[in-house]
Amino acid sequence: MQVKLASSYGFCFGVKRAIKIAESYENSATMGPLIHNQNEIDRLKNNFNVGLYNSLSEVKKDDTVIIRTHGIPKDELRNLKKNKDAKVINATCPFVTTPQQIVKKMSKENYSILIFGDSTHPEVKGVKSYGEDQEDVHVVMSVKDLDKINFKYDKIATVAQTTKKKEVYLEIVNALILKNKEVRVFNTICDATFENQDAARDLSKEVDIMIVIGGKNSSNTKQLHAICLENCTDSYLIENSKELEKQWFKDKKICGITAGASTPDWIIQEVVNKVEEYNENF
Amino acid sequence: MQVKLASSYGFCFGVKRAIKIAESYENSATMGPLIHNQNEIDRLKNNFNVGLYNSLSEVKKDDTVIIRTHGIPKDELRNLKKNKDAKVINATCPFVTTPQQIVKKMSKENYSILIFGDSTHPEVKGVKSYGEDQEDVHVVMSVKDLDKINFKYDKIATVAQTTKKKEVYLEIVNALILKNKEVRVFNTICDATFENQDAARDLSKEVDIMIVIGGKNSSNTKQLHAICLENCTDSYLIENSKELEKQWFKDKKICGITAGASTPDWIIQEVVNKVEEYNENF
């Protein structure tokens, strides 16, 4: 079987960086799961003894604690450093640190703050926590949510959750521009998610079968799968090589492979190897 | 004839203010025509001896010079004050002073400047002149013009000519947001023009005949006329009451009246009076 990998797939820059950091701190622990992939968390535990804390109360004095890619709220970080006296290794993605710092600076300069994103997402909780006046930091998911907001100022600064869609951000920003004197728009959306999607779209047009590797509960992986199905009806979503089924590949010549943002390279490589073997057996 | 005036018509706030200022400085002169209406300029000359200069060279020492609503370039203002030692009365509309000051402040803070407007328009020339680095102040009329621009910074501050359309401004701003880290959008568009247009649209739907009063070369008046024609085929564009023709009003019951942004109230009143008289004569 001829295998073609998408031109962009799997981990983004921030996740690759966080894993490298974790690998270099043996016997440490991450605050919350480093990524949404249990196989990779197990590998870090088995090979580097990197553990997992789910709350501050589990942290012991002098522990080395790794902050994961999407960051944590300001107060939690402070508690970790001061009250717990832990050694804190910050693996927050630089693309997430940026909106945190923007919110801090802009609220100090008396701008009302608008965050486009999901208020329950850890990244957004972290970014929001950097506002000086928490009552004037507003989180919206769509332009409709703006109606409910009373901004303190007519100068608004906006940031977006890194994985959000630009089109929706522009809709929100446009509505604000029409109603306010100044809107200071920071483009904090990261292209990584969309690069994987664009590459999957292109590849799925030129293959007989498409394999999408990632968590079945991961919204990002499900979106990749939906995009592939638009162009290639034989598109399958699997979590690892064990789920491959030989009969899928009957009479197929080219197999495209892509992977969600939380899928490690070694899992992808196992899939590639197994699919290539089918070549010989039909 | 029943006459209905549009709910908004004629002079905007800035023009009314400038005329009041001119009336209060007898024996002064305006730098360029105060508004695009010769009748009004004649009235100011006849009643208040307010003259008209077309260039700096005409200004004499100790003259009182009035700066008109759309402002003048920074250097010309300085020359007027220093070299000519003239008493300068600034009738620049506050809605035009705002973008001038924004461009000044933002270019000092190392933002590249984008102005949405017509580079040949006096207002835009004035606003542009306030940029610290003239090579990094860019004027565009549409989103297409952005392709030619090399911004010095990836932080852009934008302002718009006060009379431009918001929809086009948003198009331009959106394109910038997608390509730059920060876009600081100042909403400097003035609603006055659009209030007259909206009111003309509404009124033209409920009358038999529509009279639009204004300069036949004024783009703003021509636009009002075009809007009225959409709803009322008997829409006429006139400069003053002398151009009214009695036969237009035959079998008509309600006449709507509106006026361009440079049409003084006394010209409008003359038209209203004459149209009301037709009542009795049919």
Side-chain angles (χ1 to χ4, degrees), chain B residues 47 54 91 100 129 185 207 263:
Chain B
N47 298 4
N54 283 306
Q100 289 175 347
S129 72
V185 185
V207 297
T263 309

Side-chain angles (χ1 to χ4, degrees), chain A residues 99-113:
Chain A
Q100 289 175 346
Q101 295 307 310
I102 289 168
V103 167
K104 186 177 172 181
K105 186 164 182 276
M106 289 301 101
S107 61
K108 268 190 187 155
E109 292 182 20
N110 293 335
Y111 283 81
S112 293
I113 305 294

Side-chain angles (χ1 to χ4, degrees), chain A residues 109 111 166 169-170 173-174 177-188, chain B residues 109 111 166 169-170 173-174 177-188:
Chain A
E109 292 182 20
Y111 283 81
K166 288 171 183 173
Y169 191 35
L170 292 181
V173 159
N174 287 349
I177 291 169
L178 293 178
K179 288 194 179 168
N180 295 278
K181 277 196 180 165
E182 180 189 350
V183 183
R184 206 160 163 175
V185 185
F186 295 87
N187 186 352
T188 54
Chain B
E109 291 182 20
Y111 283 80
K166 289 171 182 175
Y169 190 34
L170 291 181
V173 159
N174 288 348
I177 291 170
L178 293 178
K179 287 193 179 169
N180 295 277
K181 276 196 183 165
E182 180 188 348
V183 183
R184 206 159 162 175
V185 185
F186 295 87
N187 186 353
T188 54

Side-chain angles (χ1 to χ4, degrees), chain B residues 6-219:
Chain B
S7 61
S8 174
Y9 62 87
F11 287 172
C12 64
F13 160 80
V15 168
K16 280 182 192 159
R17 178 175 166 275
I19 286 172
K20 270 194 187 163
I21 290 173
E23 286 176 349
S24 65
Y25 286 94
E26 289 197 33
N27 310 314
S28 64
T30 61
M31 181 54 75
L34 192 67
I35 61 169
H36 294 131
N37 185 297
Q38 193 57 46
N39 293 304
E40 181 66 9
I41 289 168
D42 293 344
R43 188 187 69 90
L44 287 172
K45 178 71 188 163
N46 296 336
N47 298 4
F48 302 92
N49 193 32
V50 173
L52 167 61
Y53 290 140
N54 283 306
S55 78
L56 263 180
S57 60
E58 296 172 54
V59 180
K60 293 178 291 294
K61 199 167 150 43
D62 298 330
D63 268 353
T64 296
V65 180
I66 297 172
I67 307 301
R68 53 195 182 148
T69 47
H70 36 238
I72 58 171
K74 197 173 69 171
D75 289 349
E76 283 185 34
L77 186 63
R78 195 190 296 132
N79 280 337
L80 206 52
K81 286 179 179 169
K82 289 201 173 162
N83 302 348
K84 292 290 181 175
D85 214 13
K87 181 178 179 187
V88 176
I89 308 300
N90 200 340
T92 305
C93 173
F95 295 131
V96 175
T97 309
T98 299
Q100 289 175 347
Q101 295 309 310
I102 290 169
V103 166
K104 186 176 173 182
K105 185 165 184 276
M106 289 300 101
S107 61
K108 269 192 187 155
E109 291 182 20
N110 293 335
Y111 283 80
S112 292
I113 307 292
L114 185 113
I115 302 170
F116 164 43
D118 173 0
S119 60
T120 65
H121 192 285
E123 177 188 323
V124 173
K125 285 181 181 173
V127 170
K128 183 175 188 291
S129 72
Y130 282 83
E132 292 283 309
D133 174 2
Q134 282 295 301
E135 295 202 349
D136 202 27
V137 183
H138 312 273
V139 181
V140 299
M141 278 293 269
S142 78
V143 73
K144 283 181 208 156
D145 298 337
L146 292 178
D147 297 339
K148 307 168 207 151
I149 298 178
N150 284 318
F151 292 107
K152 194 169 167 187
Y153 305 106
D154 56 2
K155 290 160 57 188
I156 320 280
T158 72
V159 294
Q161 190 177 339
T162 51
T163 50
K164 284 290 166 195
K165 282 195 182 161
K166 289 171 182 175
E167 293 74 13
V168 185
Y169 190 34
L170 291 181
E171 261 180 46
I172 293 165
V173 159
N174 288 348
L176 290 174
I177 291 170
L178 293 178
K179 287 193 179 169
N180 295 277
K181 276 196 183 165
E182 180 188 348
V183 183
R184 206 159 162 175
V185 185
F186 295 87
N187 186 353
T188 54
I189 292 175
C190 180
D191 283 328
T193 312
F194 309 103
E195 282 168 8
N196 283 5
Q197 288 177 0
D198 290 344
R201 188 174 291 111
D202 290 347
L203 184 59
S204 59
K205 286 175 185 165
E206 52 173 280
V207 297
D208 305 310
I209 174 171
M210 209 45 223
I211 303 295
V212 181
I213 315 161
K216 281 177 184 149
N217 294 320
S218 150
S219 65

Side-chain angles (χ1 to χ4, degrees), chain A residues 191-203:
Chain A
D191 284 327
T193 311
F194 309 103
E195 282 168 7
N196 283 5
Q197 288 177 2
D198 290 345
R201 188 175 290 110
D202 290 347
L203 183 59

Side-chain angles (χ1 to χ4, degrees), chain A:
Chain A
M1 181 69 51
Q2 190 192 336
V3 168
K4 277 194 174 182
L5 274 163
S7 62
S8 174
Y9 62 88
F11 287 170
C12 64
F13 162 79
V15 168
K16 281 182 191 158
R17 179 175 166 275
I19 286 171
K20 270 194 186 163
I21 290 173
E23 287 176 350
S24 66
Y25 286 94
E26 289 198 32
N27 311 313
S28 64
T30 62
M31 181 54 77
L34 192 67
I35 61 169
H36 294 130
N37 185 296
Q38 193 56 46
N39 292 305
E40 181 65 7
I41 289 169
D42 292 344
R43 188 188 69 88
L44 288 171
K45 178 69 186 166
N46 295 335
N47 297 4
F48 301 92
N49 194 31
V50 173
L52 167 59
Y53 289 141
N54 283 307
S55 79
L56 263 180
S57 59
E58 297 172 53
V59 180
K60 293 177 292 294
K61 198 166 152 43
D62 297 331
D63 268 352
T64 297
V65 179
I66 297 172
I67 307 301
R68 54 196 181 149
T69 47
H70 34 237
I72 59 171
K74 197 173 67 170
D75 289 347
E76 284 185 32
L77 187 62
R78 194 189 297 133
N79 280 339
L80 207 52
K81 285 180 178 167
K82 290 203 173 161
N83 302 349
K84 291 291 182 175
D85 214 13
K87 182 177 179 187
V88 175
I89 308 302
N90 201 340
T92 304
C93 173
F95 295 131
V96 174
T97 309
T98 299
Q100 289 175 346
Q101 295 307 310
I102 289 168
V103 167
K104 186 177 172 181
K105 186 164 182 276
M106 289 301 101
S107 61
K108 268 190 187 155
E109 292 182 20
N110 293 335
Y111 283 81
S112 293
I113 305 294
L114 185 114
I115 303 170
F116 164 42
D118 174 358
S119 60
T120 64
H121 192 286
E123 177 188 322
V124 173
K125 285 183 183 173
V127 170
K128 183 174 189 289
S129 73
Y130 282 83
E132 293 282 309
D133 174 1
Q134 282 295 303
E135 295 202 351
D136 202 27
V137 184
H138 311 273
V139 182
V140 300
M141 278 290 272
S142 79
V143 74
K144 284 180 209 159
D145 298 337
L146 292 177
D147 298 338
K148 306 168 209 152
I149 298 178
N150 284 317
F151 291 108
K152 192 169 167 187
Y153 305 105
D154 56 3
K155 292 160 56 188
I156 320 280
T158 73
V159 295
Q161 189 177 341
T162 50
T163 49
K164 285 287 165 197
K165 283 194 182 161
K166 288 171 183 173
E167 293 75 14
V168 184
Y169 191 35
L170 292 181
E171 261 181 46
I172 293 165
V173 159
N174 287 349
L176 290 175
I177 291 169
L178 293 178
K179 288 194 179 168
N180 295 278
K181 277 196 180 165
E182 180 189 350
V183 183
R184 206 160 163 175
V185 185
F186 295 87
N187 186 352
T188 54
I189 293 174
C190 179
D191 284 327
T193 311
F194 309 103
E195 282 168 7
N196 283 5
Q197 288 177 2
D198 290 345
R201 188 175 290 110
D202 290 347
L203 183 59
S204 60
K205 286 175 186 164
E206 51 172 279
V207 297
D208 306 309
I209 173 170
M210 210 46 220
I211 303 295
V212 181
I213 316 163
K216 282 179 181 145
N217 293 321
S218 149
S219 66
N220 139 25
T221 306
K222 283 188 282 186
Q223 214 168 347
L224 272 185
H225 186 212
I227 288 169
C228 292
L229 275 171
E230 281 172 23
N231 304 303
C232 175
T233 47
D234 289 312
S235 294
Y236 301 91
L237 169 52
I238 60 171
E239 298 209 341
N240 54 53
S241 65
K242 287 177 200 148
E243 296 181 20
L244 285 167
E245 293 182 28
K246 197 176 168 182
Q247 72 269 19
W248 295 343
F249 296 86
K250 201 172 175 225
D251 301 329
K252 301 287 192 275
K253 285 178 182 152
I254 312 177
C255 171
I257 293 182
T258 184
S262 297
T263 310
D265 274 347
W266 57 273
I267 289 182
I268 300 166
Q269 196 53 53
E270 282 178 5
V271 172
V272 171
N273 292 346
K274 198 161 171 186
V275 172
E276 280 179 338
E277 275 173 27
Y278 291 138
N279 212 7
E280 297 144 28
N281 303 333
F282 278 116

